[in-house]
Amino acid sequence: MELYDLATEAYNAIPRDDPAFSAAEIGRAESLRRAGDTEEGIAALRALIADRPDIQAAHVALGDALRQEERYDEASRAYDAAVALIETPSDRHWIIFFARGITHEREDRWDNAEADFRRALELRPNQPQVMNYLGYSFVEMGINLDEALDLIERAVAEDPGSGYIVDSLGWVLYRLGRYEESIVH
C-alpha cells in the first residue's frame, strides 16, 4: 500500500531478542529505502550484519540495495559475503550468483560475471533471466553467438511472454545476419 512509514513503525516494534527480528530489520531497511531514505536503509542492513554476520539474507538484501544504487563494488562484496555463507549450494542459491554476476558485469569484470552466470545455471538450469542475461551479454560483446542464440531461445521457451527476452531473440538473430527471422521478434 506504499505506507512505508507505517511499515517502518511496525518493523520497529519487533524486539531485538525476537526470532523474527532479523527478517523485520530487513523489511524495515526496505521500507526506509522505498520511503526515500536509502542511506538509512543501507545503514540498517550494515548494522544488522555487524550484529549478526551469519544471516545470509541480510547480505543479499544489502547487495540488492547497493546494486540498485549502482554501487556495484560494494554490492559485489555483500554478495561475496552471502556466497561465503553457503555450505552446500542448492537451486535456491541461483539468485545470489545471478545478482553477483550482474554486479561483476557492471564493473567490467566479465570473467567473474560469466562464472557466476554459469554457476547460477548449474543450480537452476532453465532459469530464463539468467539464460537471457548471459546470452544477451554475449551478443553485445559479439562473442559466442551460437551459444547466445541457444541460451536466448531456451529463455524464450521458458518465458514466452517476456517482452525483453523475446526482444533479445530478435537481437541475436539480427546480429547473426538472419534479418527476416529477427523482424518477427
Side-chain angles (χ1 to χ4, degrees):
M1 295 175 63
E2 299 182 8
L3 299 172
Y4 304 118
D5 292 339
L6 185 60
T8 299
E9 276 183 50
Y11 288 128
N12 279 335
I14 307 297
R16 294 184 72 76
D17 61 348
D18 190 292
F21 175 77
S22 296
E25 197 63 358
I26 292 168
R28 183 176 79 86
E30 181 64 16
S31 292
L32 289 166
R33 288 184 48 252
R34 288 183 177 254
D37 200 345
T38 300
E39 289 308 315
E40 189 172 341
I42 289 171
L45 291 168
R46 289 189 195 281
L48 176 61
I49 289 167
D51 188 45
R52 300 174 186 191
D54 60 331
I55 298 180
Q56 185 180 63
H59 294 282
V60 172
L62 178 60
D64 292 346
L66 293 165
R67 182 169 46 93
Q68 289 170 3
E69 291 299 307
E70 300 181 4
R71 292 162 58 177
Y72 301 119
D73 183 56
E74 292 174 84
S76 288
R77 289 194 305 270
Y79 293 131
D80 287 345
V83 167
L85 292 170
I86 299 172
E87 290 181 25
T88 304
S90 68
D91 68 334
R92 69 185 176 95
H93 296 114
W94 75 270
I95 189 70
I96 302 170
F97 289 96
F98 179 53
R100 187 173 71 171
I102 292 170
T103 64
H104 289 321
E105 182 265 335
R106 298 295 165 92
E107 296 173 289
D108 292 322
R109 295 171 51 195
W110 177 249
D111 289 344
N112 293 19
E114 183 179 359
D116 276 341
F117 295 144
R118 291 194 185 280
R119 184 68 171 131
L121 286 174
E122 286 173 18
L123 298 171
R124 182 79 57 92
N126 294 315
Q127 212 303 318
Q129 292 173 323
V130 181
M131 290 187 292
N132 183 66
Y133 204 107
L134 179 57
Y136 188 85
S137 296
F138 285 152
V139 174
E140 286 298 294
M141 291 184 286
I143 62 171
N144 303 338
L145 293 181
D146 290 333
E147 182 181 5
L149 176 60
D150 177 63
L151 286 164
I152 294 169
E153 285 178 332
R154 289 175 38 215
V156 169
E158 289 293 322
D159 192 0
S162 172
Y164 71 92
I165 293 176
V166 173
D167 180 68
S168 294
L169 180 56
W171 182 232
V172 70
L173 290 167
Y174 178 84
R175 292 291 299 266
L176 286 167
R178 295 164 58 177
Y179 305 119
E180 291 300 318
E181 290 176 77
S182 72
I183 292 170
V184 175
H185 303 289

